[in-house]
Amino acid sequence: MHMRSMMRRPLRIAGMLAVLLAVALIAAWLYLRASLPLLDGAVHASGLAAPVSVARDDYGVPLISGADRIDVAYATGFVHAQERYFQMDLLRRVGAGELAELFGARAIKVDRAHRLHRFRARAELALAAMSADDRRFLDRYVAGVNDGLARLAAHPFEYRLIGVQPRAWQAADSLLVVCAMYFDLQGNLEPRELARGWVAQHSSAAQRAFLLPESSAWDALLDGDGSAAPTVPIPPTAPAWWGKPKQPGVATIAAAEAIDAVGSNNWAIAGARSKDGAAIVADDMHLGLQLPNIWYRLALRFPDAQGKARRVVGVTQPGAPPVVVVGSNGRVAWGFSNSYGDYLDLVELGVDGTRPGQVRTPGGWETPAVHAETILVKGAASEKMAVRDSSLGPIRVVGDKTYAVHWMAHGAGALNLKPRQLETVDTVDDALAIANTLGIPAQNFIAGDDRGNIGWTIAGVLARRAQPGVAATFPLAQGGAQASFDGALAPHAYPRLVNPAAGQLSSANSRQLQGDGARLIGDGGFDLGARHRQVREGLLALGAQVDVAAAYGVALDDRALFIAQWRERALGVLDAPAIKGKPQRAQFLALLQRGWTGHASADSAGYLLARQFMFSLHDLLYGRADSEVARLDDKATMALASSRWPVVVARLLDEQPAAWLPPGYANWRALQLAAVDRAIEEVTRDGTALADATWGRRNKAAIAHPISAAAPWLRFWLAAPQDRLPGDANMPRVAGNRLGQSERMTVTPGKEEQGVFNMPGGQSGHPLSPYFLAGHQAWVQGKMLPLLPGAAQHTLLFSR
């Protein structure tokens, strides 16, 4: 009996453990179920003027209908909170520099960098300056958010995983979400200036002009052609750092680079070229991709101030003021792409040991205000941070230099609720006028109306500069700050283009204009221009009688027109002597030949190898400089200093000046063969056989919920499939592992029933929701889904 009992004990223990595990799994499942949003039923909400309905379709896209726009704002807040509260919380904390309160010490570095700008205090100032109507609109959204959170039977699951309680939403938090977009869209301006400043210090004026060109033949300007861009002579000598290897421990661009930068495409086709005489507007904004997606789709129906029925469809950003960011209102459709203008200056300040606590600005000596900031840290003591604020902005010390960060995001007009006015605008001209007043990070704004008109301008705040030009794109030395800006440009002075002769307008983050218009915007890191040129030529090729499907199709153009030239260069050096006795080079050549599809297609080995060849050349030539600028700021790179570096390298390979050939190479052919060898090493570094090194193997989607980084064992439930994606940075179909087209929308105002849309991920941030990944595969495949919500599958009613 004793032996039998001893044998049964492990079985009993195993059985008990199995029961406990089952109970834990059931409890976890029940908790997750409890945090799902309400889809049907009735909700009593105080403060409503009239009932509001939320009708969701098969994809979870709601049509929110009410008799008062303020009530619709309340319902939008309720829905946002129920579907996306944790995402909203992250965004406000990014804007405020408060992530460590959720994630502990690992987030302190980011919090310190962001807290320098004191955006929570600036958001409170913007609230105080709001009109009573705007404040009421925002307050009703906040009430909806907090009621939506309270109506969940359990807090969003993320809070249970990290062991933190959610805190209520405040009006300032919605403005902090916009501040987070300033970091996202203009956060590279500081490291870019530092990188360019390093080049200026370590190169002659002639070398700097060659290495950092202001334009190139890739530019496809809205008011002209960049093909006649002036060519800067190659200087007789190279900088001392040129062609030297990187310092150990610094990642190379070829190893780490996945996509060039945050950006977007948008375009409009005038009624003269459209099938039905109204404009067609398309937009695909390129941002970091995660689950849930940054955008929340919806349609809004309400009467305007004159009692006229309005329907607005598009995307909102959960947490931000509840307006349609990109979409159509039945009369006008609009879209954005990041403008990459010059909106920030680093102004060097003087310091003197005999004047402790003071700094010298261009206006003279002053004593900065000191603000005590407290960073709350989960699981540890809070940290104190003193922010010194000069008359030009907060003070940052980099190496042995002290700078004022003079940024348009700090100004009084950087945050407002004027985007809500686009929901009821009737003409392109009126839309452009409103765009010039928006308190958002400055964007290319393209709009079209139901009469066939199209227009472009800059939306958001532009800097008013006494002496606009390239000097302001470098840190401004003491005594040279007269080139810094003085407040915001008046809206009537903004550049605009309306109804150009070609019947189309487009933007893709590259240089937009020439002459005075270009100087007003400045250069804050324009894209190379190859993508925009391909967009523009793709639109021209559509001809007349363009329909929505054809206009949408331009966003899926993945032809490798830019990388094709680098393939030709590699083919040119891989001759018989180069591959003799070098089997990997021979295989590289064969894959460039037979593995080339002419597209950035997922199954193309030729595309990956040609692309890697180009980036390997970058590493061989710019490696030491990348190491050095990274010491100033870990985001600083030479590619950030100038996106036009491929043009510089191409000229050197064409002209082959001996003085610019790096040491250790017999000739420029030897350098290119070294780049081929380096490319082979890079693509096989993870053990991948060269024959299997396709673009899709490298360019796999890595779209996941951010909480999966803290709980990787949940990644199976919190990530999208690792699809192999076609597309790349220098073509319309932008696609990277974690960055790409965050939505694709094409619509004719007044004919929204014909409009099309797709986006990565689904409407909900909850993995048990049927809307967590609903529609995601349509985005992967480029399949057009209807822009408007379909038939209602669930209806939630709000009553007084």
Side-chain angles (χ1 to χ4, degrees):
M1 291 294 292
H2 181 69
M3 288 295 295
R4 187 177 297 175
S5 176
M6 292 289 290
M7 293 175 64
R8 288 176 177 172
R9 183 176 298 172
L11 294 176
R12 286 198 299 268
I13 292 173
M16 291 174 62
L17 290 175
V19 170
L20 290 174
L21 178 61
V23 169
L25 290 174
I26 292 171
W29 184 82
L30 290 173
Y31 182 87
L32 284 171
R33 292 285 303 171
S35 60
L36 282 168
L38 298 172
L39 300 181
D40 295 289
V43 174
H44 172 74
S46 61
L48 291 182
V52 182
S53 67
V54 177
R56 287 179 172 90
D57 70 1
D58 280 333
Y59 293 95
V61 181
L63 169 62
I64 304 178
S65 304
D68 190 312
R69 181 65 181 91
I70 301 290
D71 291 344
V72 170
Y74 171 88
T76 304
F78 189 98
V79 169
H80 279 173
Q82 292 229 315
E83 300 272 22
R84 303 282 195 91
Y85 194 80
F86 185 73
Q87 176 194 29
M88 295 162 59
D89 195 0
L90 289 184
L91 286 171
R92 69 175 169 183
R93 290 174 181 276
V94 168
E98 297 170 352
L99 287 169
E101 191 175 357
L102 290 184
F103 301 113
R106 75 182 76 176
I108 290 175
K109 183 178 179 180
V110 173
D111 279 357
R112 283 188 167 276
H114 289 189
R115 193 68 71 91
L116 178 73
H117 302 278
R118 301 183 62 250
F119 276 132
R120 183 167 287 284
R122 298 182 196 280
E124 294 290 352
L125 291 174
L127 284 176
M130 270 186 191
S131 69
D133 182 59
D134 279 349
R135 185 59 194 265
R136 178 168 171 259
F137 176 79
L138 185 56
D139 283 346
R140 288 305 293 158
Y141 174 73
V142 171
V145 169
N146 288 323
D147 285 355
L149 179 64
R151 288 279 184 163
L152 291 172
H155 289 150
F157 73 95
E158 297 94 339
Y159 293 101
R160 175 60 63 92
L161 286 173
I162 62 177
V164 175
Q165 294 292 312
R167 76 177 185 222
W169 199 258
Q170 301 175 27
D173 294 335
S174 288
L175 299 185
L176 285 168
V177 172
V178 181
C179 294
M181 292 304 293
Y182 272 100
F183 285 128
D184 205 5
L185 298 173
Q186 296 181 5
N188 279 338
L189 288 171
E190 278 187 75
R192 179 175 188 268
E193 289 219 355
L194 290 170
R196 289 171 68 84
W198 185 91
V199 175
Q201 289 179 330
H202 296 86
S203 309
S204 69
Q207 291 165 348
R208 181 170 67 248
F210 171 65
L211 291 167
L212 306 176
E214 296 183 46
S215 59
S216 83
W218 286 106
D219 291 332
L221 305 178
L222 295 178
D223 60 347
D225 197 312
S227 58
T231 300
V232 176
I234 299 177
T237 60
W241 51 264
W242 179 256
K244 293 185 177 179
K246 71 180 184 72
Q247 298 286 356
V250 179
T252 66
I253 191 172
E257 187 273 349
I259 200 166
D260 282 355
V262 174
S264 303
N265 302 321
N266 65 338
W267 52 84
I269 296 174
R273 287 181 53 198
S274 73
K275 187 174 182 179
D276 52 24
I280 301 174
V281 174
D283 186 86
D284 56 282
M285 294 178 282
H286 311 153
L287 295 164
L289 303 181
Q290 62 181 25
L291 298 178
N293 186 24
I294 190 171
W295 308 118
Y296 185 86
R297 294 179 59 191
L298 49 62
L300 307 176
R301 192 162 54 192
F302 57 89
D304 63 18
Q306 288 73 44
K308 179 181 177 181
R310 290 281 187 173
R311 183 185 63 187
V312 188
V313 60
V315 297
T316 57
Q317 184 178 14
V323 301
V324 172
V325 177
V326 163
S328 180
N329 68 13
R331 299 293 302 276
V332 177
W334 65 94
F336 295 109
S337 76
N338 200 16
S339 63
Y340 283 97
D342 186 12
Y343 310 122
L344 179 148
D345 288 334
L346 290 177
V347 182
E348 187 178 350
L349 303 175
V351 294
D352 189 329
T354 65
R355 291 175 174 266
Q358 290 192 307
V359 294
R360 187 178 64 203
T361 71
W365 288 96
E366 63 179 57
T367 301
V370 180
H371 304 279
E373 295 285 323
T374 300
I375 299 175
L376 300 179
V377 183
K378 177 190 168 187
S382 61
E383 293 208 358
K384 303 296 183 182
M385 177 179 174
V387 175
R388 294 189 298 154
D389 221 347
S390 74
S391 58
L392 291 173
I395 295 173
R396 179 183 177 187
V397 177
V398 182
D400 61 352
K401 295 185 181 296
T402 300
Y403 296 107
V405 183
H406 196 33
W407 188 12
M408 290 301 299
H410 299 153
L415 300 168
N416 62 40
L417 264 60
K418 291 183 179 180
R420 64 185 288 211
Q421 297 176 21
L422 290 172
E423 294 181 346
T424 54
V425 73
D426 288 331
T427 68
V428 158
D429 285 338
D430 289 343
L432 298 179
I434 291 169
N436 299 149
T437 69
L438 302 186
I440 61 172
Q443 302 285 293
N444 291 301
F445 177 87
I446 287 181
D449 63 28
D450 57 351
R451 302 174 189 177
N453 301 301
I454 59 175
W456 165 91
T457 190
I458 295 292
V461 285
L462 281 179
R464 182 178 66 219
R465 294 185 180 276
Q467 296 178 356
V470 70
T473 65
F474 298 90
L476 298 170
Q478 293 183 54
Q482 66 274 10
S484 189
F485 60 85
D486 177 22
L489 190 69
H492 65 80
Y494 278 46
R496 290 186 190 177
L497 291 172
V498 177
N499 292 333
Q504 66 180 54
L505 285 166
S506 56
S507 71
N509 315 119
S510 55
R511 184 177 172 220
Q512 307 96 332
L513 304 173
Q514 54 192 347
D516 291 340
R519 286 187 287 273
L520 286 175
I521 300 169
D523 184 351
F526 291 140
D527 183 70
L528 171 67
R531 172 161 49 94
H532 185 220
R533 181 167 288 275
Q534 195 163 330
V535 165
R536 187 180 73 171
E537 293 176 357
L539 292 170
L540 287 170
L542 297 178
Q545 296 295 300
V546 180
D547 61 13
V548 164
Y552 168 85
V554 174
L556 302 181
D557 181 5
D558 60 8
R559 289 174 298 151
L561 305 184
F562 174 73
I563 292 297
Q565 62 170 320
W566 297 97
R567 172 179 178 264
E568 292 300 319
R569 292 183 186 280
L571 289 172
V573 297
L574 287 170
D575 53 17
I579 64 175
K580 184 178 180 180
K582 301 280 188 180
Q584 283 197 309
R585 285 186 185 175
Q587 190 177 18
F588 191 99
L589 172 63
L591 291 170
L592 280 179
Q593 292 170 331
R594 71 170 183 263
W596 177 260
T597 64
H599 295 254
S601 47
D603 60 351
S604 174
Y607 181 81
L608 172 61
L609 298 182
R611 179 186 190 274
Q612 198 69 52
F613 169 69
M614 179 188 74
F615 280 109
S616 293
L617 281 165
H618 176 282
D619 285 346
L620 292 173
L621 297 172
Y622 293 92
R624 176 61 58 85
D626 264 339
S627 299
E628 295 297 334
V629 299
R631 298 180 192 278
L632 302 175
D633 188 299
D634 55 13
K635 291 173 64 177
T637 66
M638 290 299 290
L640 193 58
S642 176
S643 65
R644 301 183 181 101
W645 66 264
V647 175
V648 173
V649 175
R651 278 197 62 197
L652 291 171
L653 296 180
D654 289 340
E655 301 185 32
Q656 301 192 357
W660 285 74
L661 180 66
Y665 300 99
N667 49 45
W668 286 93
R669 178 176 177 275
L671 174 73
Q672 293 176 81
L673 288 174
V676 169
D677 294 339
R678 188 183 185 92
I680 293 169
E681 179 186 353
E682 289 291 345
V683 301
T684 59
R685 186 182 298 278
D686 62 355
T688 302
L690 189 58
D692 297 329
T694 60
W695 176 233
R697 191 180 183 100
R698 171 73 67 86
N699 204 46
K700 288 190 295 188
I703 305 172
H705 193 294
I707 207 69
S708 66
W713 48 278
L714 289 174
R715 189 175 179 85
F716 177 81
W717 292 278
L718 295 176
Q722 291 184 304
D723 296 290
R724 299 188 176 196
L725 302 175
D728 196 9
N730 287 297
M731 58 189 61
R733 188 169 190 164
V734 171
N737 305 107
R738 295 180 178 85
L739 196 152
Q741 295 171 318
S742 65
E743 49 79 41
R744 304 185 190 108
M745 179 199 77
T746 308
V747 62
T748 293
K751 299 182 182 297
E752 286 77 14
E753 289 77 6
Q754 301 172 9
V756 297
F757 185 92
N758 56 51
M759 73 180 192
Q763 288 286 90
S764 177
H766 198 299
L768 292 188
S769 169
Y771 310 131
F772 184 58
L773 287 174
H776 176 75
Q777 279 303 307
W779 174 82
V780 171
Q781 298 163 10
K783 178 183 176 182
M784 295 182 292
L785 297 178
L787 174 63
L788 283 175
Q793 302 299 312
H794 300 278
T795 301
L796 186 65
L797 297 174
F798 295 86
S799 61
R800 293 185 287 175

